[in-house]
Amino acid sequence: MAHGLVPLLGRSQGGTHPLGGQRRTPSGKRGGLDAIDWSAPWLADWRQTGEPLAERVQHGGLSCAAALNQAGAAPVRFVSQSALPAGEGYETFIARTHQCPTRDGLHDFFNGLCWLRFPLVKRRLNQLHVAQLARTGVQPVRGPARDALTVFDENAAFLRAPDALWDALRQKDWLAVFGSLRPLWPQARLLLFGHALLEKLVQPRKSITAHVYRASPAGDSIADMDQWVAAALSAQSLAAKPFAHLPVLGVPGWWDANTDPAFYADASVFRPPK
């Protein structure tokens, strides 16, 4: 895999997923953590921290919350979902108690890993959520700011890339992104962030698409990316939908089939601009 493509790839109250649909309960031991393929290229930045924690859940008898707490690097303590009082919002509870309700399963396990690897971004997102709730209260429809915050938390990826590559991605010029500009990908740095995105990639399929947030001029390290993105985030900027869409299995080096140009001819995935 080329240098620069090592990746790092919220949650709703109740039983529905914020991006739509019923929340699934993964099958298998401790919520399906045994299905994670830690050799996948998009998990390269997660593996050192995540794999031993998953082992403690799978084979050590720990809950996801207990295993995540053993890492000792998050600005929150992970607690059972039962610690969340009835009637109190998830984000409000985190802000008030510095505790994160965590269920056994892929979704909350990856959310916990995000708190461990991107503590500044996760804390900033929580602050923005709570500020929006204080301003508008709980509404039947989230509104553009809270909707964008949820999409970011669940499905974002961070990209530092040359201008030409970013511009082509924003324009959905797939022939350029993965064709004529393919030689620029080794100069890019893509880190997967959204925990729902990471969860979906446990069962990879061509249509899985990230909301890409440009993180230039952040440095290559996770710590630099965490600091830069956290400082840049605001409800106003996110409400403006500053995202580009990227079917992540199209990233060079991430999926064997994408060495064939015909891989990108699928217009149901690599959709032309409207």
Side-chain angles (χ1 to χ4, degrees):
M1 182 173 60
H3 173 69
L5 296 185
V6 177
L8 185 94
L9 253 161
R11 141 187 188 148
S12 66
Q13 186 69 24
T16 58
H17 193 287
L19 299 183
Q22 190 70 22
R23 179 186 290 277
R24 298 188 308 274
T25 301
S27 61
K29 190 181 296 183
R30 284 290 184 184
L33 271 63
D34 55 322
I36 301 172
D37 177 7
W38 291 103
S39 68
W42 50 85
L43 290 179
D45 280 309
W46 297 98
R47 185 172 190 173
Q48 184 176 1
T49 299
E51 187 171 22
L53 295 181
E55 284 288 321
R56 293 171 196 172
V57 174
Q58 292 170 245
H59 305 297
L62 296 181
S63 66
C64 286
L68 290 163
N69 284 329
Q70 287 190 351
V76 294
R77 179 169 179 79
F78 302 97
V79 296
S80 169
Q81 175 73 14
S82 62
L84 179 64
E88 182 167 11
Y90 173 78
E91 299 288 352
T92 304
F93 178 78
I94 291 175
R96 179 176 66 83
T97 67
H98 305 290
Q99 297 178 351
C100 180
T102 302
R103 295 170 285 202
D104 287 332
L106 289 166
H107 192 83
D108 286 13
F109 178 74
F110 281 124
N111 184 51
L113 288 186
C114 291
W115 276 103
L116 295 174
R117 301 311 307 273
F118 287 94
L120 300 180
V121 173
K122 290 292 287 186
R123 185 166 55 187
R124 178 60 175 159
L125 288 171
N126 178 246
Q127 291 169 347
L128 292 172
H129 267 296
V130 171
Q132 287 298 308
L133 286 168
R135 178 178 300 176
T136 65
V138 178
Q139 302 289 336
V141 178
R142 284 190 179 89
R146 286 197 64 214
D147 184 59
L149 284 166
T150 300
V151 168
F152 188 102
D153 197 18
E154 297 276 344
N155 208 58
F158 305 149
L159 178 66
R160 186 185 57 73
D163 289 343
L165 189 58
W166 172 253
D167 291 342
L169 183 61
R170 285 281 283 177
Q171 295 164 17
K172 297 185 178 180
D173 186 350
W174 305 117
L175 289 178
V177 171
F178 298 115
S180 61
L181 298 179
R182 198 177 185 92
L184 294 183
W185 276 98
Q187 302 174 36
R189 172 67 159 150
L190 179 65
L191 298 135
L192 303 192
F193 170 79
H195 52 283
L197 179 61
L198 289 165
E199 179 189 16
K200 287 182 286 188
L201 282 164
V202 172
Q203 296 180 325
R205 60 188 185 278
K206 191 176 182 179
S207 60
I208 295 173
T209 299
H211 287 72
V212 178
Y213 182 83
R214 194 180 190 188
S216 296
D220 273 350
S221 75
I222 293 174
D224 285 347
M225 195 77 75
D226 185 36
Q227 185 174 27
W228 189 91
V229 173
L233 285 179
S234 70
Q236 292 76 19
S237 65
L238 288 178
K241 298 182 179 179
F243 304 115
H245 297 100
L246 174 63
V248 294
L249 296 187
V251 174
W254 280 22
W255 200 246
D256 289 344
N258 75 33
T259 58
D260 183 349
F263 181 85
Y264 302 105
D266 185 351
S268 69
V269 174
F270 299 95
R271 298 177 181 178
K274 294 181 180 180

